[in-house]
Amino acid sequence: MNDIPARIGASIDEIDTPALIVDLDTFLQNLERMAAFARSAGVRLRPHAKTHKCPTIAQMQMAAGAVGQCCQKVGEAEALVRGGIRDVLVTNEIVDPHKLHRLAALAKDATIALCFDAAGPIEAASRAAGEAGVELGGLVEIEVGMQRCGIAAGQPAAELARRIADAPGLRFRGLQAYHGAAQHMPTLAERERAIAGAADAVCSTIAALQKAGLACELVSGAGTGTYRMEGGSGVWNELQAGSYLFMDTDYARIGDKNGGRYTDFAHSLFVLATVMSVPAADRAVVDAGLKSYSAEKGPPWVHGRDDIQVTGVSDEHGRLQLGPAAERLRIGDKLMLIPGHCDPTINLHDWYVAVRRGRVEALWPITARGASR
């Protein structure tokens, strides 16, 4: 890990930049808002740790009522279990025997489950569980419109569930039904249609499972852009949203019911940058570029400064264009940048610097950073 970018009690001006900043009050409001929705809807909340990659944050979510965490990679699951999380679902297909043995080792200390969409990995996971003397949970991932992983809904999914149920060392637990493509559809109506189609796929699969005599404990899925739809559907009973904690510009752009920006949750995640050059009255450069934030969803926004745009990014630089009425920037000024995509931005940093009322209140290590295996 790199050096800690700030000390507790320091002011924002004293933070070494670029740094990943969390506005603590807004972060906690987002955390509680999702937890309150899950309670009111009567569904389980299993937040996605691929977003935050931090057992400290996972523990805060658990304290607010989450039943566990989900993640995408075995390395993320290992970091979570090492950090004290005792219920982890890997919402992905794990096919390498070595990775399956790593997951089985975790099941000695935690409840571990993973997803399947083919028969071969079921046999491999069964062998790994048997050799470790543990039980792994298995969910069938069904195709709900995302066109990524997932077996066809209905009878094919039920047949795969039977294989899991019959495999030694495995326990069939339910369905993975996440429609990731729906999360960023630009209008509420488009998202509603997509989730309605996903619900049809889930219901046809549940009917096939019932016919096969298989109980479906979990229907897990949903994200920050559609959680209300799945949570209120009566079909899903577990929500996997992750980005709601932080938000980013990509989520802010999706429309609400009135066509405006998405406001269910507020921006709490920023990259703090320092102005390093002011070569012209209408142009400046900050010390945060592609090594500090993801730009595949476009350049970041400057928080609280609609009169400034990020017009170009390179490895270590962000180029700013000031509007005609904008107050001129000075070398050494600090700016908060809102990343386009929070998940890969967080993966570029070792620490969260949690700030309240302009002072550093906490430092949280990002221990699952770079866990791509």
Side-chain angles (χ1 to χ4, degrees):
M1 270 195 174
N2 294 333
D3 291 339
I4 296 173
R7 59 177 176 82
I8 302 296
S11 70
I12 286 183
D13 287 338
E14 296 175 285
I15 298 172
D16 191 14
T17 61
L20 193 67
I21 303 295
V22 173
D23 180 300
L24 193 51
D25 286 334
T26 305
F27 167 87
L28 292 173
Q29 289 168 6
N30 289 344
L31 186 152
E32 177 52 34
R33 187 167 296 162
M34 182 63 83
F37 171 80
R39 288 193 297 269
S40 67
V43 296
R44 297 155 50 102
L45 178 61
R46 183 184 294 276
H48 221 308
K50 75 179 178 66
T51 295
H52 59 69
K53 303 173 179 66
C54 175
T56 303
I57 292 176
Q59 293 286 8
M60 297 168 73
Q61 292 174 315
M62 300 290 287
V67 299
Q69 296 279 297
C70 55
C71 62
Q72 288 289 85
K73 297 292 185 177
V74 176
E76 291 172 342
E78 288 169 333
L80 289 169
V81 174
R82 284 196 301 267
I85 304 303
R86 293 293 174 257
D87 192 330
V88 178
L89 164 63
V90 180
T91 56
N92 212 352
E93 284 67 27
I94 307 300
V95 301
D96 180 80
H98 176 62
K99 290 186 175 73
L100 289 167
H101 279 90
R102 287 163 58 194
L103 267 187
L106 293 180
K108 295 179 180 179
D109 299 311
T111 299
I112 303 293
L114 69 159
C115 295
F116 299 98
D117 68 357
I122 294 173
E123 297 173 5
S126 176
R127 286 194 297 272
E131 290 172 13
V134 299
E135 180 182 80
L136 292 171
L139 278 72
V140 173
E141 181 167 10
I142 61 172
E143 164 58 32
V144 293
M146 191 173 180
Q147 297 185 343
R148 197 168 65 183
C149 298
I151 194 170
Q155 188 61 30
E159 291 173 2
L160 197 67
R162 171 54 66 190
R163 284 181 174 267
I164 297 171
D166 291 344
L170 302 185
R171 179 165 68 93
F172 173 65
R173 296 197 60 194
L175 303 177
Q176 169 73 2
Y178 172 64
H179 196 333
Q183 304 309 312
H184 298 281
M185 289 178 176
T187 68
L188 180 64
E190 287 174 290
R191 298 196 297 278
E192 288 176 336
R193 285 194 295 270
I195 299 305
D200 289 342
V202 173
C203 289
S204 69
T205 306
I206 291 175
L209 290 171
Q210 290 173 339
K211 188 175 180 180
L214 291 169
C216 184
E217 173 193 348
L218 299 176
V219 177
S220 197
T224 298
T226 65
Y227 72 98
R228 289 186 180 276
M229 301 167 200
E230 288 97 336
S233 68
V235 176
W236 283 262
N237 60 10
E238 187 171 272
L239 307 181
Q240 297 177 356
S243 298
Y244 72 93
L245 283 175
F246 301 124
M247 296 301 289
D248 50 34
T249 68
D250 201 31
Y251 264 119
R253 290 188 185 97
I254 67 174
D256 64 11
K257 63 182 179 180
N258 298 315
R261 285 184 180 172
Y262 190 62
T263 58
D264 278 24
F265 305 95
H267 294 292
S268 71
L269 184 82
F270 310 94
V271 173
L272 182 67
T274 300
V275 175
M276 59 189 294
S277 176
V278 186
D282 65 345
R283 184 161 53 88
V285 181
V286 293
D287 64 349
L290 293 172
K291 294 181 181 178
S292 301
Y293 48 77
S294 168
E296 92 278 12
K297 302 294 186 181
W301 296 346
V302 182
H303 181 56
R305 293 296 303 267
D306 291 340
D307 54 354
I308 302 175
Q309 287 189 322
V310 179
T311 58
V313 295
S314 52
D315 284 358
E316 310 288 359
H317 302 84
R319 188 171 67 247
L320 309 180
Q321 184 69 43
L322 280 67
E327 181 181 349
R328 183 167 182 169
L329 293 172
R330 298 169 297 177
I331 291 175
D333 284 349
K334 294 287 201 298
L335 296 173
M336 305 271 268
L337 307 180
I338 306 172
H341 190 182
C342 56
D343 297 19
T345 294
I346 292 164
N347 201 51
L348 296 170
H349 295 264
D350 292 312
W351 295 90
Y352 294 100
V353 181
V355 173
R356 178 179 273 146
R357 292 186 287 276
R359 294 278 173 183
V360 177
E361 187 165 310
L363 297 162
W364 304 327
I366 305 171
T367 59
R369 174 195 172 185
S372 60
R373 293 180 292 165

Coordinates of all heavy atoms in Angstrom, one line a residue, residues 180-223:
G180 N -27.8 -6.1 -15.4 CA -26.8 -4.9 -15.3 C -27.1 -3.9 -16.4 O -26.9 -2.7 -16.2
A181 N -27.5 -4.3 -17.6 CA -27.7 -3.4 -18.7 C -28.8 -2.4 -18.4 O -28.8 -1.3 -19.0 CB -27.9 -4.2 -20.0
A182 N -29.7 -2.8 -17.6 CA -30.9 -2.0 -17.3 C -30.5 -0.8 -16.4 O -31.2 0.2 -16.4 CB -32.0 -2.8 -16.6
Q183 N -29.4 -0.9 -15.6 CA -29.1 0.1 -14.6 C -28.9 1.5 -15.2 O -29.3 2.4 -14.6 CB -27.9 -0.4 -13.8 CG -27.9 -1.7 -13.2 CD -29.2 -1.9 -12.4 OE1 -29.5 -1.1 -11.6 NE2 -29.9 -3.0 -12.6
H184 N -28.3 1.5 -16.4 CA -28.0 2.9 -16.9 C -28.8 3.2 -18.1 O -28.5 4.1 -18.9 CB -26.5 2.9 -17.3 CG -25.6 2.7 -16.1 ND1 -25.4 3.7 -15.2 CD2 -25.0 1.6 -15.6 CE1 -24.6 3.3 -14.2 NE2 -24.4 2.0 -14.4
M185 N -30.0 2.5 -18.3 CA -30.9 3.0 -19.4 C -31.3 4.4 -19.1 O -31.7 4.7 -18.0 CB -32.0 2.0 -19.5 CG -31.6 0.6 -20.1 SD -33.0 -0.6 -20.2 CE -32.1 -1.9 -21.0
P186 N -31.4 5.2 -20.1 CA -31.5 6.7 -19.9 C -32.9 7.1 -19.4 O -33.0 8.3 -18.9 CB -31.2 7.3 -21.2 CG -31.5 6.2 -22.3 CD -31.1 4.9 -21.6
T187 N -33.9 6.3 -19.5 CA -35.2 6.7 -19.0 C -35.8 5.7 -18.0 O -35.5 4.5 -18.1 CB -36.2 7.0 -20.1 OG1 -36.6 5.7 -20.7 CG2 -35.7 7.9 -21.2
L188 N -36.6 6.2 -17.1 CA -37.3 5.3 -16.2 C -38.2 4.3 -16.9 O -38.2 3.1 -16.5 CB -38.2 6.1 -15.2 CG -38.9 5.4 -14.2 CD1 -38.0 4.7 -13.2 CD2 -39.9 6.3 -13.4
A189 N -38.9 4.7 -18.0 CA -39.7 3.8 -18.7 C -38.9 2.6 -19.3 O -39.4 1.5 -19.3 CB -40.5 4.5 -19.8
E190 N -37.7 2.9 -19.8 CA -36.9 1.9 -20.4 C -36.5 0.9 -19.3 O -36.5 -0.3 -19.5 CB -35.7 2.5 -21.1 CG -36.0 3.2 -22.4 CD -34.7 3.9 -22.9 OE1 -34.3 4.9 -22.3 OE2 -34.2 3.4 -23.9
R191 N -36.1 1.4 -18.2 CA -35.7 0.5 -17.1 C -36.8 -0.3 -16.6 O -36.7 -1.5 -16.3 CB -35.1 1.3 -15.9 CG -33.8 2.1 -16.4 CD -33.0 2.6 -15.2 NE -33.7 3.5 -14.3 CZ -33.8 4.8 -14.6 NH1 -33.3 5.4 -15.7 NH2 -34.4 5.6 -13.7
E192 N -38.0 0.2 -16.5 CA -39.2 -0.5 -16.0 C -39.5 -1.7 -17.0 O -39.8 -2.8 -16.6 CB -40.4 0.4 -15.9 CG -40.3 1.3 -14.7 CD -41.4 2.3 -14.6 OE1 -42.0 2.6 -15.7 OE2 -41.7 2.8 -13.5
R193 N -39.4 -1.4 -18.3 CA -39.7 -2.5 -19.3 C -38.7 -3.6 -19.2 O -39.0 -4.8 -19.3 CB -39.7 -1.9 -20.7 CG -40.9 -1.1 -21.0 CD -41.1 -0.8 -22.5 NE -40.0 0.0 -23.0 CZ -40.0 1.4 -23.1 NH1 -41.1 2.0 -22.6 NH2 -39.0 2.0 -23.5
A194 N -37.4 -3.2 -19.0 CA -36.3 -4.2 -18.9 C -36.5 -5.1 -17.7 O -36.4 -6.3 -17.8 CB -35.0 -3.5 -18.8
I195 N -36.9 -4.5 -16.6 CA -37.0 -5.3 -15.3 C -38.3 -6.1 -15.4 O -38.4 -7.2 -14.9 CB -37.0 -4.4 -14.1 CG1 -35.7 -3.7 -14.0 CG2 -37.3 -5.2 -12.8 CD1 -34.5 -4.6 -14.0
A196 N -39.3 -5.6 -16.1 CA -40.6 -6.4 -16.3 C -40.2 -7.7 -17.1 O -40.7 -8.8 -16.8 CB -41.6 -5.6 -17.0
G197 N -39.4 -7.6 -18.1 CA -39.0 -8.7 -18.9 C -38.1 -9.7 -18.0 O -38.3 -10.9 -18.1
A198 N -37.3 -9.1 -17.2 CA -36.5 -10.0 -16.3 C -37.4 -10.7 -15.3 O -37.1 -11.9 -15.0 CB -35.5 -9.1 -15.5
A199 N -38.4 -10.1 -14.8 CA -39.3 -10.7 -13.9 C -40.0 -11.9 -14.5 O -40.2 -12.9 -13.9 CB -40.3 -9.7 -13.4
D200 N -40.4 -11.7 -15.8 CA -41.0 -12.9 -16.5 C -40.1 -14.1 -16.6 O -40.5 -15.2 -16.4 CB -41.4 -12.4 -18.0 CG -42.5 -11.5 -18.0 OD1 -43.3 -11.4 -17.0 OD2 -42.7 -10.8 -19.0
A201 N -38.8 -13.8 -16.8 CA -37.8 -14.9 -16.9 C -37.6 -15.6 -15.5 O -37.5 -16.8 -15.4 CB -36.4 -14.3 -17.3
V202 N -37.6 -14.8 -14.5 CA -37.5 -15.3 -13.1 C -38.8 -16.2 -12.8 O -38.6 -17.3 -12.3 CB -37.4 -14.2 -12.1 CG1 -37.5 -14.8 -10.7 CG2 -36.0 -13.5 -12.2
C203 N -39.9 -15.7 -13.1 CA -41.2 -16.4 -12.8 C -41.3 -17.7 -13.5 O -41.7 -18.7 -13.0 CB -42.4 -15.5 -13.1 SG -42.6 -14.1 -11.9
S204 N -40.9 -17.7 -14.8 CA -40.9 -19.0 -15.6 C -39.9 -20.0 -15.0 O -40.2 -21.2 -15.0 CB -40.6 -18.7 -17.0 OG -39.3 -18.3 -17.2
T205 N -38.8 -19.5 -14.5 CA -37.8 -20.4 -13.9 C -38.3 -20.9 -12.5 O -38.2 -22.1 -12.2 CB -36.5 -19.7 -13.7 OG1 -36.1 -19.1 -15.0 CG2 -35.4 -20.6 -13.2
I206 N -38.9 -20.1 -11.7 CA -39.5 -20.5 -10.4 C -40.5 -21.6 -10.7 O -40.6 -22.6 -10.0 CB -40.0 -19.4 -9.6 CG1 -38.9 -18.5 -9.2 CG2 -40.8 -19.8 -8.4 CD1 -39.3 -17.2 -8.5
A207 N -41.4 -21.4 -11.7 CA -42.4 -22.4 -12.0 C -41.8 -23.7 -12.4 O -42.2 -24.8 -11.9 CB -43.3 -21.9 -13.1
A208 N -40.7 -23.7 -13.1 CA -40.0 -24.9 -13.5 C -39.3 -25.6 -12.3 O -39.3 -26.8 -12.2 CB -39.0 -24.6 -14.6
L209 N -38.8 -24.8 -11.4 CA -38.2 -25.3 -10.2 C -39.2 -26.0 -9.3 O -39.0 -27.1 -8.8 CB -37.5 -24.2 -9.4 CG -36.2 -23.6 -10.0 CD1 -35.8 -22.4 -9.2 CD2 -35.1 -24.6 -10.0
Q210 N -40.4 -25.4 -9.2 CA -41.4 -26.0 -8.4 C -41.9 -27.3 -9.0 O -42.1 -28.3 -8.3 CB -42.6 -25.0 -8.3 CG -42.3 -23.8 -7.5 CD -43.4 -22.7 -7.5 OE1 -44.2 -22.7 -8.4 NE2 -43.5 -21.9 -6.5
K211 N -42.0 -27.3 -10.3 CA -42.4 -28.6 -11.0 C -41.4 -29.7 -10.7 O -41.7 -30.9 -10.6 CB -42.6 -28.3 -12.5 CG -43.2 -29.5 -13.2 CD -43.4 -29.1 -14.7 CE -44.0 -30.3 -15.5 NZ -44.3 -29.9 -16.9
A212 N -40.1 -29.3 -10.6 CA -39.0 -30.2 -10.4 C -38.9 -30.6 -8.9 O -38.0 -31.4 -8.5 CB -37.7 -29.7 -10.9
G213 N -39.7 -29.9 -8.0 CA -39.6 -30.2 -6.6 C -38.4 -29.5 -5.9 O -38.0 -30.0 -4.9
L214 N -38.0 -28.4 -6.5 CA -36.8 -27.7 -5.9 C -37.3 -26.4 -5.3 O -37.9 -25.6 -6.0 CB -35.8 -27.4 -7.0 CG -35.0 -28.6 -7.5 CD1 -34.2 -28.3 -8.8 CD2 -34.1 -29.2 -6.5
A215 N -36.9 -26.1 -4.1 CA -37.2 -24.9 -3.4 C -36.2 -23.8 -3.8 O -35.0 -24.1 -4.0 CB -37.2 -25.0 -1.9
C216 N -36.8 -22.6 -4.1 CA -35.9 -21.5 -4.5 C -35.8 -20.5 -3.3 O -36.7 -19.6 -3.1 CB -36.5 -20.8 -5.7 SG -35.5 -19.5 -6.4
E217 N -34.8 -20.6 -2.5 CA -34.6 -19.8 -1.3 C -34.4 -18.3 -1.7 O -35.0 -17.4 -1.1 CB -33.5 -20.3 -0.5 CG -33.1 -19.4 0.7 CD -31.7 -19.7 1.3 OE1 -31.2 -20.8 0.9 OE2 -31.2 -19.0 2.0
L218 N -33.6 -18.0 -2.7 CA -33.1 -16.7 -3.0 C -33.4 -16.4 -4.5 O -33.2 -17.2 -5.4 CB -31.6 -16.5 -2.8 CG -31.1 -16.7 -1.4 CD1 -29.6 -16.6 -1.4 CD2 -31.7 -15.7 -0.5
V219 N -33.9 -15.2 -4.7 CA -33.9 -14.6 -6.1 C -33.1 -13.3 -5.9 O -33.6 -12.3 -5.3 CB -35.3 -14.3 -6.6 CG1 -35.1 -13.6 -8.0 CG2 -36.0 -15.6 -6.8
S220 N -31.9 -13.3 -6.3 CA -30.9 -12.2 -6.0 C -30.6 -11.4 -7.2 O -30.4 -11.9 -8.3 CB -29.7 -12.8 -5.3 OG -28.9 -11.8 -4.7
G221 N -30.5 -10.1 -7.1 CA -30.2 -9.2 -8.2 C -30.4 -7.8 -7.9 O -30.4 -7.4 -6.7
A222 N -30.7 -6.9 -8.8 CA -31.0 -5.5 -8.7 C -29.7 -4.7 -8.5 O -28.7 -5.1 -8.0 CB -31.9 -5.3 -7.5
G223 N -29.8 -3.5 -8.9 CA -28.7 -2.5 -8.8 C -29.2 -1.1 -8.5 O -30.4 -0.9 -8.3

